Amino acid sequence: MIALTAAEITAATNGTLSGIGPEHVVTGPVVTDSREVLPGGLFVALPGEHVDGHDFAAGAVTAGAALVLAARELPGLPCVVVPDVERALGDLAREVLVRLREAASMPGGSGLQVIGITGSVGKTTTKDVLAQICGAAGPTVAPVRSFNNEIGLPLTVLRADEQTRFLVLEMGASGPGHLTYLTDIAPPDVAVVLVVGQAHLGGFGGGVDGVARAKAEIVAGLVPSGTAVLNGDDPRVRAMSAVAPGRVVLFGAAPDAEVRVEDVRLDAVGRASFRLVHVVGRERHEREVELRLVGEHHVHNALAAAAAALSVGLDLDDVATGLSAADALSPHRMHVVDRADGVTVVDDSYNANPDSMRAALKALAVIAGRERRSVAVLGEMLELGDEHRAAHDAIGRLVVRLNIGLTVVVGEGARAIRDGANHEGSWGDEVVLVDDVDTAAAFLADELRPGDVVLVKSSYGAGLWRLGDRLVAGDA
Ligand SMILES: Nc1ncnc2c1ncn2[C@@H]1O[C@H](COP(=O)(O)OP(=O)(O)O)[C@@H](O)[C@H]1O
Ligand SMILES: [Mg+2]
């Protein structure tokens, strides 16, 4: 964080200062976990579900925290006391960003640009790819993993400083108003909307159109002359140009997309190559891109990252080079490992919804090809509301259509995958239902043989990432 006095933090958060003088300086970092405190830092005491941050405040100060942001006075500790710590964290991030923008626009300033990314699927991947492209061009701050909510976003903003040229933010939404809250803290210069899929239908109301309305908030939340980077292939996303305050850049395969993909090919391990086309007026510029990310669905994320990078002024050569060099930085995302015993593990267990399940299963079928046995280990997709059964059933049917060799359905919540497969004509041997991750691990330890390609996937909450780790390590 940029250095702020206790008085400035108090003013930004509408708090009251206790236990320390107003001139006391805080330099950051800003953390919510007392184990991550560094000298001069700000410890944010959040009331958690299981633990209360206030219980760790004394330890944080002992570890060097210069100040605690707290919901109540903590005798003997330097604090700013606020009614709502989460809101105050957002208020502080907003104030810091205002100051950073001021500094950035001065002569010799960094020219800071804020890029916000939302969509039902692909946010983290796009964020990681964009952060790598931007990182090659200038100082870049981007979220750790999936820090995309009302806590993770301000924490990310607060990592930026006067040098930061690109601030890449992932913006998640599981209901109306969520993105407005986030853009109110960090109005983007460039807002990217990837896709309006079926993810998290549970929280939105109004079905997929409700999701679209909620995602459009990021476009409405742009700075006055900001650029909307929209998926030209998704009609609901394209329609968001109606609320764009300024320039609109479409990306996709659509003929009128300014940043376009042509001629997609997949190699034997499921990595896509394509022609990246940038249409500028009547001119057409093109470059070849070879992704290292596995799965055709990442073409779309790569294209979104390219469109955002071009929108902040990077040139096409750097964008194409950056795309071809980019890796999936966050764990458990189409992470492909060839084990010594000849089994290939595709660990995509970070999260799942119907769109990403389909994409991963198709990638599995491509990687296995004709020679190798494909094994899909699938757990429950959460937050689907009324769609839950039908969505799992459809995945079961797809497994049969893709000719997946063996499907292991993990957990009662995912049972409808097996039922769907059975209805589609699976005979039972190719699809088994097991109770939990441990049973799945034991079953696979016995069942897997050299040459098999194993995909692991579920929603985060269903916990198959634990199995992903074990399979990659070779102990399942
Ligand atoms: N465009 C896409 N279509 C289908 N699946 C996708 C797409 N982009 C990413 N995925 C898959 O969805 C899962 C989540 O990806 P991630 O980038 O973490 O998205 P998010 O941050 O939006 O949850 C991963 O399994 C990934 O491989
Ligand atoms: Mg994410």
Side-chain angles (χ1 to χ4, degrees):
M1 189 179 71
I2 53 173
L4 293 175
T5 63
E8 288 171 318
I9 295 175
T10 308
T13 57
N14 255 319
T16 31
L17 190 59
S18 91
I20 197 108
E23 296 311 316
H24 185 66
V25 175
V26 182
T27 51
V30 182
V31 301
T32 58
D33 182 333
S34 59
R35 289 163 298 187
E36 292 168 7
V37 164
L38 289 176
L42 175 67
F43 175 65
V44 181
L46 285 170
E49 261 170 57
H50 307 292
V51 288
D52 181 358
H54 295 82
D55 297 341
F56 298 89
V61 172
T62 308
L67 193 66
V68 179
L69 190 58
R72 55 173 189 271
E73 236 175 85
L74 299 164
L77 300 182
C79 351
V80 170
V81 182
V82 292
D84 180 337
V85 175
E86 189 180 293
R87 288 241 161 215
L89 176 63
D91 292 340
L92 182 61
R94 181 184 309 107
E95 171 65 21
V96 164
L97 186 54
V98 167
R99 289 174 184 235
L100 286 175
R101 284 194 193 272
E102 266 168 31
S105 62
M106 300 297 220
S110 70
L112 174 68
Q113 300 209 59
V114 179
I115 307 154
I117 301 169
T118 198
S120 302
V121 67
K123 294 179 294 298
T124 297
T125 309
T126 305
K127 172 269 288 184
D128 284 340
V129 170
L130 182 60
Q132 289 172 80
I133 303 174
C134 289
T140 299
V141 170
V144 183
R145 300 187 295 276
S146 246
F147 273 29
N148 68 13
N149 64 9
E150 55 291 344
I151 295 163
L153 178 123
L155 285 174
T156 307
V157 171
L158 289 165
R159 283 174 39 226
D161 62 21
E162 291 93 341
Q163 271 70 51
T164 306
R165 186 164 152 214
F166 303 108
L167 176 57
V168 179
L169 298 173
E170 177 173 336
M171 297 187 168
S174 41
H178 291 187
L179 287 176
T180 298
Y181 183 87
L182 300 179
T183 57
D184 189 39
I185 294 169
D189 298 285
V190 174
V192 182
V193 185
L194 297 171
V195 68
V196 173
Q198 309 185 20
H200 307 299
L201 268 190
F204 287 95
V208 80
D209 291 318
V211 178
R213 273 193 299 280
K215 304 275 188 236
E217 292 173 19
I218 196 175
V219 178
L222 277 160
V223 298
S225 57
T227 303
V229 173
L230 302 176
N231 181 354
D233 300 333
D234 180 333
R236 290 191 180 83
V237 176
R238 190 185 253 271
M240 292 176 195
S241 58
V243 287
R247 218 166 100 67
V248 173
V249 176
L250 296 181
F251 66 90
D256 61 340
E258 187 176 322
V259 179
R260 198 179 310 159
V261 58
E262 290 177 359
D263 193 20
V264 178
R265 293 138 274 151
L266 283 189
D267 73 7
V269 292
R271 292 174 306 204
S273 302
F274 59 92
R275 192 177 320 115
L276 171 65
V277 181
H278 187 205
V279 181
V280 188
R282 293 187 167 192
E283 285 173 43
R284 192 188 138 95
H285 305 273
E286 39 179 84
R287 298 288 184 281
E288 278 303 310
V289 171
E290 283 178 29
L291 291 182
R292 302 168 63 135
L293 306 174
V294 174
E296 188 173 356
H297 53 293
H298 286 314
V299 169
H300 177 83
N301 300 326
L303 211 59
L310 292 165
S311 297
V312 296
L314 301 193
D315 72 51
L316 189 60
D317 279 322
D318 293 341
V319 171
T321 313
L323 284 181
S324 299
D327 281 312
L329 298 181
S330 300
H332 304 294
R333 282 173 185 73
M334 292 306 277
H335 177 51
V336 182
V337 176
D338 291 316
R339 288 192 341 199
D341 63 355
V343 171
T344 297
V345 179
V346 183
D347 178 9
D348 197 36
S349 56
Y350 179 70
N351 221 340
N353 63 41
D355 294 331
S356 72
M357 271 286 188
R358 277 193 293 277
L361 285 167
K362 284 182 198 158
L364 170 65
V366 169
I367 296 170
R370 294 222 184 105
E371 307 290 310
R372 307 176 68 181
R373 178 169 71 153
S374 50
V375 180
V377 186
L378 307 178
E380 186 174 5
M381 301 178 283
L382 301 171
E383 296 183 61
L384 290 174
D386 295 345
E387 312 279 325
H388 186 276
R389 231 205 83 79
H392 286 82
D393 184 274
I395 293 301
R397 291 172 193 267
L398 179 65
V399 156
V400 177
R401 269 181 244 138
L402 289 172
N403 229 338
I404 301 300
L406 171 66
T407 300
V408 182
V409 179
V410 186
E412 213 24 64
R415 171 187 284 274
I417 296 179
R418 190 197 58 179
D419 298 345
N422 287 347
H423 289 138
E424 191 71 19
S426 154
W427 293 104
D429 271 11
E430 308 107 28
V431 185
V432 294
L433 177 65
V434 299
D435 283 342
D436 53 29
V437 165
D438 286 331
T439 322
F443 176 80
L444 289 166
D446 213 38
E447 175 67 28
L448 292 180
R449 39 182 200 262
D452 285 351
V453 185
V454 196
L455 167 75
V456 192
K457 192 160 176 69
S458 73
S459 279
Y460 184 77
L464 262 65
W465 54 270
R466 271 182 258 120
L467 185 60
D469 282 340
R470 289 170 69 173
L471 280 167
V472 166
D475 73 352

